[in-house]
Amino acid sequence: MDQTTASIVVVVTMFLMLGAGVWVALALAGVGFVAMALFTARPVGMVMATNIWGASTSWTLTALPLFIWMGEILFRTRISSDMFKGLAPWTGWLPGRLMHVNIIGCSIFAAVSGSSAATAATIGRMTIPELNRRGYDPMMTLGSLAGAGTLGLLIPPSIIMIVYGVAADVSIARLFIAGVIPGIVLTGLFMLYVGGWSLLNPGRVPPPEPSQSFGEKIRDTGALIPVMLLIAAVLGSIYVGIATPTEAAGIGVLGSLVLALVTGTLNWTTFRDSLFGAAHTSCMIGFILAGAAFLTVAMGYTGIPRLLAEWITTMQLSPAALLVALTAFFVVMGCFLDGISMVVLTTSVILPMVQRAGIDLLWFGIYIIIVVEMAQITPPVGFNLFVLQSMTGKDIFTIGKASLPFFLLMVVMVALLWVFPGMVSWLPSMMIG
């Protein structure tokens, strides 16, 4: 059977398995098994055992459960609730006022969480009741929180950056550094939109809060010091070159445990729940990565990626047109798959095309993370939408409608990345050389 037939069989098998509700990891491995069994003469069992073992024992993956554990610890401490108290005094003068706490709070927590869902849940838990109580527009509250919650994927340390780095064999330290400037720019775009919306809809913004003296603002800002110190310890150790991402993850776990102890929220229940939560999430991601590793090898044996790359080449798409096509492809996939599954499911097929088009894999990593951010707020399968639905009881499509402007801002961000690729490459080249 030729490669075109093999491609059709692989795609149909994948959709059948996912449509039947098979776990993503088992679906990935199952598709690889079918592809190898039907279209190659290789020993399927031996290849599967070797590649799954190799993917599961990668030292680079050690950072993954550690960063997840750090986020789980902070999720259960008083530090997250202190962030609102520390940020609120400084946003009252901006158009949109306390609505910016959603965005700034998400960007700060993203730097210590690495998870989009954890960022949206943690910040939403403290801001939604406060903003609703003070009379802020509920749709803008939900939309800004859903959009800004995705910053947990882009601002390092990011779990999905580790996944992409392992899958594409790209330096995780360089990915971490490359995500800083795009993360800041996207945060700025969100804040500009909120400010512009507030100026155009002054009747939907409550009156200013009572003014505080400068001393009172400084006193309240002290609540941010623990979080900022933890960010400095984790990211600073990577940026100055004294720690690898895995070592920095260990520093983050130790720092979060110390902060939980100092704030009086570290007890046996908190420790156990954070450990179990981290183990559950880490096993799920590791299982998916193992299945994806076998699928990648199976695709290589069948020659399907090479066929797709040649097909793209015959279409003679420019790099820009290729990225437009891939963006549409990922947005559609995001309606049915979570972000990590999207990355590990497609890298084996997409990366040969990207490399053939001459696109830098570091730049493509930041691009694909932003596109995956879009998928976090697209119904019916948008993790951030699920989180906010569980917190507010709103219909998932209502939340999706509220987050639509922020989805469009991410499209603008992708365009900015293409026009100004130095946003990705400049900082890593300056710091790593």
Side-chain angles (χ1 to χ4, degrees):
M1 300 167 79
D2 60 18
Q3 291 173 334
T4 302
T5 305
S7 301
I8 295 173
V9 171
V10 165
V11 171
V12 170
T13 303
M14 175 63 72
F15 276 102
L16 286 175
M17 286 192 170
L18 293 176
V22 177
W23 288 356
V24 172
L26 294 179
L28 295 175
V31 171
F33 184 91
V34 169
M36 286 198 67
L38 293 181
F39 306 112
T40 73
R42 301 282 180 172
V44 182
M46 182 179 297
V47 174
M48 175 183 284
T50 302
N51 284 276
I52 287 180
W53 174 259
S56 304
T57 55
S58 170
W59 173 250
T60 309
L61 283 177
T62 309
L64 186 66
L66 291 175
F67 277 128
I68 294 173
W69 191 17
M70 180 180 71
E72 289 282 344
I73 294 169
L74 295 176
F75 182 75
R76 292 168 169 79
T77 65
R78 199 184 67 201
I79 296 171
S80 57
S81 60
D82 286 345
M83 288 178 62
F84 189 94
K85 180 181 177 182
L87 290 172
W90 301 100
T91 60
W93 64 275
L94 295 171
R97 301 191 180 92
L98 297 185
M99 200 74 69
H100 293 285
V101 174
N102 267 353
I103 300 170
I104 301 174
C106 284
S107 64
I108 291 176
F109 194 80
V112 291
S113 167
S115 166
S116 173
T119 299
T122 302
I123 302 302
R125 183 175 293 173
M126 65 182 182
T127 60
I128 289 176
E130 285 291 329
L131 294 176
N132 288 342
R133 183 177 64 82
R134 301 182 193 208
Y136 284 86
D137 184 77
M139 290 292 283
M140 180 55 72
T141 298
L142 291 175
S144 61
L145 187 60
T150 64
L151 294 169
L153 298 180
L154 183 59
I155 295 179
S158 164
I159 294 170
I160 204 166
M161 282 185 181
I162 300 174
V163 172
Y164 174 81
V166 172
D169 195 23
V170 175
S171 166
I172 293 173
R174 290 179 68 87
L175 279 170
F176 278 5
I177 298 173
V180 172
I181 294 179
I184 294 173
V185 172
L186 187 56
T187 301
L189 285 177
F190 288 162
M191 294 182 68
L192 281 174
Y193 173 76
V194 169
W197 177 89
S198 301
L199 292 175
L200 294 174
N201 301 273
R204 300 170 70 178
V205 180
E209 301 284 324
S211 60
Q212 289 181 294
S213 67
F214 183 75
E216 290 173 330
K217 291 182 178 180
I218 293 295
R219 184 191 62 211
D220 288 345
T221 306
L224 292 176
I225 292 177
V227 178
M228 301 310 293
L229 288 176
L230 186 59
I231 294 172
V234 174
L235 299 186
S237 61
I238 297 174
Y239 294 165
V240 300
I242 63 175
T244 65
T246 301
E247 293 164 346
I251 294 172
V253 170
L254 179 61
S256 59
L257 287 172
V258 170
L259 290 179
L261 181 63
V262 170
T263 56
T265 52
L266 181 62
N267 52 48
W268 173 246
T269 301
T270 302
F271 182 83
R272 181 196 61 200
D273 291 348
S274 68
L275 192 59
F276 284 0
H280 179 272
T281 305
S282 300
C283 289
M284 177 191 70
I285 296 174
F287 198 18
I288 291 174
L289 284 173
F294 174 61
L295 177 61
T296 299
V297 174
M299 291 297 98
Y301 281 135
T302 60
I304 292 175
R306 184 177 66 253
L307 174 68
L308 289 173
E310 292 171 353
W311 178 61
I312 294 292
T313 302
T314 58
M315 293 176 65
Q316 296 184 341
L317 292 177
S318 66
L322 174 62
L323 288 175
V324 170
L326 290 178
T327 301
F329 170 71
F330 281 117
V331 169
V332 171
M333 284 195 66
C335 295
F336 306 99
L337 292 176
D338 65 278
I340 291 175
S341 300
M342 285 170 57
V343 170
V344 297
L345 181 64
T346 58
T347 46
S348 60
V349 176
I350 297 297
L351 290 185
M353 303 183 203
V354 172
Q355 290 176 302
R356 181 77 61 92
I359 297 173
D360 177 55
L361 290 186
L362 179 68
W363 183 93
F364 187 75
I366 302 302
Y367 154 82
I368 199 174
I369 287 168
I370 294 176
V371 177
V372 167
E373 284 184 350
M374 300 179 193
Q376 299 292 301
I377 54 176
T378 54
V381 181
F383 271 28
N384 284 17
L385 303 184
F386 289 151
V387 169
L388 295 179
Q389 182 187 35
S390 65
M391 295 175 65
T392 63
K394 299 281 187 180
D395 179 76
I396 193 168
F397 290 98
T398 299
I399 303 173
K401 179 182 177 181
S403 63
L404 178 61
F406 297 89
F407 175 91
L408 297 177
L409 287 173
M410 293 179 200
V411 176
V412 172
M413 185 66 203
V414 169
L416 288 176
L417 276 185
W418 177 251
V419 177
F420 305 105
M423 278 197 291
V424 174
S425 60
W426 178 76
L427 195 56
S429 65
M430 292 293 293
M431 302 192 75
I432 295 181

